[in-house]
């Protein structure tokens, strides 16, 4: 089997021709320009569910998965999917994560704060059933490896008893404001999201590829999506000198979801300019602090869920590999982290190629490249990943 290169060159807006399997996206409804090859669908039994595309002003989609039918770049809508929330013992997770949730009134000020958002869309046809596992893995990583106090971790899922912690658009935006409010030098902030990611046309002309990246709250069909411009102004602008923010986004099309100024090209080992191309000056920078984003895939790619990691439950590929790698190599650099995650994906794809059972179940390979972006350039080979 021909192997893909170790890193793909970062290229915004170019649709990947590589097949993916068990995408963390679902129901694509558009048409592909004539002459382009159809990509065979690997999840048709799930993709029969229809999603309204009213957000972008289109009519409801046809009764085929967009991977089966022709795909057009403009207005493409990608969704991720999962299966049952299953813990390590193989039982369905149904209890609330309220025990993991922050205290609304902190007894004292801490220099660590995190927002963990996992959206399952449980009452919709395009529901996700692995995001709770992702939230649990991230919470454990923060609390055990990076010593985040429990009361400083705000968890938003649909299982929370507190209505203010349901991952609605309003609650997510409010939580992002809470994350950066009154930040001070020495603070370490984390925003984690596991859910659907989409793209929409860029009307402000501040995107290189002409598309804004978006996150989908649980009520996005009614209230709308959260676009990258608003995420940038909410949690990037306020970062003062000495404050560091990490965003970890396990969603489709999440490459430049924070609209940071630089994107790391692993193929060339250089940082590429991602400054807004618009004629009108647009602010995308911090107030002296540092923002770093680790995304599940490039803007033109889909992220994937998988259960080939040994457990019975579904996990986001990025979340699982990130937490696994950090536990095994706690002093790893950013560059080595990207490399090891890529190597793990390559191993999985190789095993599928040689294992007839896995090949029968999954049919095709995981094709996503974790993307690193930052508000400033740094040496990824020497800087240790820490939260």
């Amino acid at each position: 089997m021909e192997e893909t290169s170790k890193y793909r060159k970062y290229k915004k807006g170019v649709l990947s021709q590589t097949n993916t399997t068990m995408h963390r996206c679902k129901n694509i409804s558009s048409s592909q320009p004539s002459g382009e090859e159809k990509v065979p669908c690997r999840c048709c039994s799930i993709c029969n569910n229809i999603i309204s595309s009213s957000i972008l002003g289109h009519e409801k989609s046809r009764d085929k998965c967009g991977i089966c039918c022709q795909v057009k770049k403009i207005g493409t809508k990608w969704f991720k999917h999962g299966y049952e929330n299953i813990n390590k013992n193989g039982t369905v997770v149904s209890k609330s994560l309220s025990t993991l949730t922050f205290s609304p009134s902190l007894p004292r000020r801490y220099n660590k704060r995190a927002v963990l958002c996992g959206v399952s869309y449980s009452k919709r046809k395009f529901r996700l059933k692995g995001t709770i596992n992702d939230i649990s893995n991230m919470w454990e990583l923060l609390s055990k490896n990076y010593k985040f106090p429990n009361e400083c971790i705000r968890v938003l899922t649909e299982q929370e008893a507190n209505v203010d912690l349901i991952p609605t658009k309003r609650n997510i935006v409010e939580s992002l404001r809470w994350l950066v409010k009154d930040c001070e030098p020495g603070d370490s902030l984390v925003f984690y999201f596991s859910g659907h990611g989409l793209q929409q046309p860029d009307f402000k002309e501040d995107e290189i590829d002409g598309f804004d990246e978006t996150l989908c709250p649980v009520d996005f069909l009614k209230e709308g999506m959260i676009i990258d411009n608003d995420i940038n102004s909410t949690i990037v602008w306020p970062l003062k000198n000495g404050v560091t923010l990490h965003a970890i986004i396990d969603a489709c099309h999440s490459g430049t979801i924070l609209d940071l100024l630089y994107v790391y090209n692993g193929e060339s080992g250089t940082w590429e300019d991602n400054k807004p191309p618009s004629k009108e000056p647009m602010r995308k920078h911090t107030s002296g602090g540092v923002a770093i984003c680790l995304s599940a895939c490039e803007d033109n790619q889909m992220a994937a869920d998988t259960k080939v990691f040994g457990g019975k439950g579904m996990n986001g590929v990025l979340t699982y590999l990130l937490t696994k790698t950090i536990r095994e190599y706690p002093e790893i650099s950013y560059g080595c982290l990207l490399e090891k995650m890529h190597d793990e994906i390559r191993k999985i794809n190789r095993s599928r190629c040689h294992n007839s059972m896995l090949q029968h179940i999954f049919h095709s390979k995981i094709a996503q490249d974790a993307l690193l972006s930052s508000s400033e350039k740094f040496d990824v080979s020497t800087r240790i990943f820490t939260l």
Side-chain angles (χ1 to χ4, degrees):
M1 183 182 75
E2 182 181 353
E3 293 182 10
T4 58
S5 60
K6 191 165 195 178
Y7 295 102
R8 291 188 190 180
K9 180 175 175 62
Y10 168 64
K11 241 177 171 180
K12 289 192 68 172
V14 180
L15 185 63
S16 171
Q17 294 293 324
T18 308
N19 290 348
T20 56
T21 182
M22 303 185 72
H23 304 304
R24 293 200 102 188
C25 47
K26 188 175 179 180
N27 300 325
I28 309 167
S29 58
S30 303
S31 60
Q32 194 174 7
S34 59
E36 293 193 15
E37 185 179 356
K38 292 184 180 180
V39 182
C41 177
R42 302 304 183 187
C43 52
C44 295
S45 61
I46 300 172
C47 294
N48 287 331
N49 298 325
I50 306 302
I51 299 175
S52 169
S53 54
S54 58
I55 294 174
L56 299 182
H58 298 291
E59 296 178 358
K60 287 190 175 182
S61 54
R62 54 173 68 93
D63 60 353
K64 287 184 179 181
C65 163
I67 305 176
C68 289
C69 58
Q70 302 288 346
V71 178
K72 184 179 179 183
K73 183 178 175 185
I74 298 292
T76 300
K77 294 165 291 301
W78 310 80
F79 289 81
K80 72 174 192 178
H81 73 264
Y83 295 94
E84 292 295 335
N85 297 323
I86 303 175
N87 63 20
K88 294 180 180 179
N89 298 321
T91 57
V92 176
V93 176
S94 59
K95 66 179 182 178
S96 170
L97 288 179
S98 58
T99 56
L100 310 183
T101 303
F102 80 112
S103 170
S105 56
L106 300 179
R108 65 184 181 86
R109 191 185 186 283
Y110 295 90
N111 67 345
K112 292 179 180 287
R113 195 180 299 180
V115 170
L116 309 183
C117 182
V119 194
S120 301
Y121 316 91
S122 57
K123 297 182 180 180
R124 297 287 182 176
K125 291 181 179 180
F126 46 86
R127 65 187 179 277
L128 303 176
K129 300 175 183 178
T131 56
I132 299 301
N133 290 336
D134 290 342
I135 291 293
S136 297
N137 285 336
M138 279 302 303
W139 182 86
E140 183 177 4
L141 182 74
L142 292 180
S143 61
K144 292 186 177 181
N145 290 71
Y146 296 109
K147 310 305 179 185
F148 274 65
N150 291 354
E151 57 267 37
C152 294
I153 303 176
R154 178 182 287 198
V155 176
L156 290 86
T157 73
E158 289 149 75
Q159 297 182 350
E160 302 304 317
N162 186 341
V163 295
D164 292 330
L165 298 177
I166 303 298
T168 62
K169 182 176 182 178
R170 177 182 177 277
N171 288 344
I172 294 176
V173 172
E174 179 58 33
S175 293
L176 294 180
R177 291 171 180 156
W178 170 84
L179 180 65
V180 299
K181 183 180 180 182
D182 300 326
C183 58
E184 296 180 3
D187 284 356
S188 176
L189 313 176
V190 174
F191 170 48
Y192 172 80
F193 181 88
S194 176
H196 287 316
L198 302 177
Q199 287 183 305
Q200 69 178 29
D202 164 35
F203 298 108
K204 293 186 177 181
E205 298 183 344
D206 63 337
E207 295 282 349
I208 295 174
D209 64 348
F211 289 92
D212 283 317
E213 286 67 51
T214 70
L215 300 180
C216 298
V218 67
D219 57 349
F220 77 100
L221 290 177
K222 179 181 178 181
E223 299 298 330
M225 299 175 285
I226 304 174
I227 67 172
D228 50 9
N229 294 334
D230 294 335
I231 297 173
N232 181 280
S233 61
T234 302
I235 62 175
V236 175
W237 289 15
L239 299 178
K240 303 174 184 176
N241 186 35
V243 178
T244 300
L245 166 75
H246 282 86
I248 301 168
I249 310 299
D250 203 337
C252 294
H253 304 294
S254 54
T256 60
I257 189 64
L258 258 64
D259 269 355
L260 300 179
L261 297 178
Y262 303 100
V263 174
Y264 184 70
N265 184 330
E267 202 172 70
S268 63
T270 60
W271 288 95
E272 296 184 349
D273 195 336
N274 189 48
K275 293 185 178 69
S278 56
K279 296 179 180 179
E280 297 295 327
M282 298 195 69
R283 175 175 175 175
K284 296 291 184 179
H285 56 79
T286 70
S287 296
V290 177
I292 299 172
C293 183
L294 182 62
S295 303
C297 59
E298 299 179 9
D299 288 341
N300 56 72
Q301 291 181 321
M302 295 173 285
D305 276 341
T306 184
K307 55 180 179 179
V308 300
F309 294 120
K312 295 183 179 180
M314 298 295 295
N315 295 97
V317 171
L318 172 71
T319 304
Y320 182 88
L321 293 181
L322 172 68
T323 55
K324 175 180 180 293
T325 304
I326 294 299
R327 285 193 297 267
E328 294 176 354
Y329 306 95
E331 298 297 321
I332 196 169
S333 68
Y334 286 84
C336 286
L337 176 62
L338 291 172
E339 182 178 347
K340 286 191 176 295
M341 289 195 295
H342 175 87
D343 287 345
E344 287 291 333
I345 292 176
R346 186 168 56 181
K347 289 178 183 177
I348 294 170
N349 290 333
R350 280 178 175 173
S351 66
R352 289 180 179 179
C353 180
H354 297 295
N355 187 312
S356 58
M357 179 60 71
L358 287 177
Q359 198 171 34
H360 174 73
I361 295 173
F362 297 104
H363 300 285
S364 56
K365 61 184 178 181
I366 297 173
Q368 65 182 81
D369 302 298
L371 192 68
L372 181 68
S373 58
S374 177
S375 60
E376 64 180 34
K377 300 177 183 180
F378 62 90
D379 188 347
V380 301
S381 65
T382 59
R383 185 163 178 171
I384 302 301
F385 181 89
T386 186
L387 300 175

